[in-house]
Amino acid sequence: MPLHVPPAPAPALRSVLAALGSPTAVREARTPTLRAAQGPLSPELPLPVHVLEHVTPGGTSPTRLAGWRFMIRGGERALAAADTMLTPDGWAFSHFFEGPYLASTERALRHAEAMPMPCQPRLLSVPELYMLTLWLHRDCTDDGAEGPLAPADLLVPLAPAPPGIAAHRPHRVAELLQVLTLRLTPAPLLRSPA
């Protein structure tokens, strides 16, 4: 089943294309693979990056759109990723990067394509746990910038996942949020003997 990838805002794409065309931006990037790449590079598979600020036993805060991530392809594989961010002047290039989330995102997307349900892929960051998940949003008509976590959505933790959370295992939203709540809720203090 093909994924319904939302189109990225045109200014976000233009900012990544401009950065790819800038020898300075590529040369100064901390991405040895990107700097050594031969041939054309293309930004593909734009994914909206949402942030979940707070997870508590009472529920979660709404997600907010923080940026768009593009996979930078050279030949047959992704060599790096490019993040964009929303500034007061609109969408702007943020940085290039590589690392384990790149391969993990591609792996999770391949598995998602094999699922029987239609979905819109997004990334969901949980900063409190240094965690990134592939968010498979069931409402494919959303524009990628909107849409809350819905009970039918799936979250797939990307590797490296926090200890005790299995990477690449799809979870219903409520199931994973319960685990996150346990991870983020401080243990009660023990009383000292009287």
Side-chain angles (χ1 to χ4, degrees), residues 5-188:
V5 179
L13 176 58
R14 282 194 302 271
S15 73
V16 171
L17 289 169
L20 281 172
S22 164
T24 304
V26 172
R27 187 173 51 252
E28 291 179 1
R30 295 183 179 168
T31 53
T33 306
L34 188 61
R35 286 194 311 261
Q38 300 294 317
L41 300 171
S42 62
E44 298 179 1
L45 195 64
L47 295 173
V49 180
H50 291 257
V51 176
L52 181 61
E53 298 287 352
H54 301 289
V55 181
T56 64
T60 62
S61 63
T63 65
R64 69 172 172 80
L65 179 65
W68 284 81
R69 179 166 295 167
F70 296 79
M71 301 297 238
I72 305 301
R73 216 164 268 293
E76 295 297 315
R77 66 186 190 99
L79 303 175
D83 274 358
T84 63
M85 62 183 179
L86 191 56
T87 69
D89 295 325
W91 290 101
F93 171 74
S94 175
H95 63 279
F96 292 115
F97 69 94
E98 58 186 63
Y101 284 129
L102 196 63
S104 186
T105 301
E106 285 193 306
R107 176 181 169 186
L109 286 167
R110 280 193 305 273
H111 288 270
E113 284 178 334
M115 292 182 175
M117 64 178 206
C119 58
Q120 181 187 87
R122 302 171 173 194
L123 294 172
L124 180 67
S125 172
V126 184
E128 290 177 289
L129 287 175
Y130 302 100
M131 179 178 179
L132 187 65
T133 70
L134 179 64
W135 172 10
L136 301 173
H137 188 54
R138 290 296 305 266
D139 187 350
C140 298
T141 63
D142 281 346
D143 64 3
E146 300 291 328
L149 285 166
D153 292 350
L154 293 177
L155 298 173
V156 182
L158 300 179
I165 297 174
H168 297 288
R169 181 178 172 268
H171 299 268
R172 293 262 179 229
V173 167
E175 175 190 352
L176 187 59
L177 290 179
Q178 181 179 7
V179 172
L180 298 182
T181 300
L182 293 173
R183 294 289 312 243
L184 293 170
T185 304

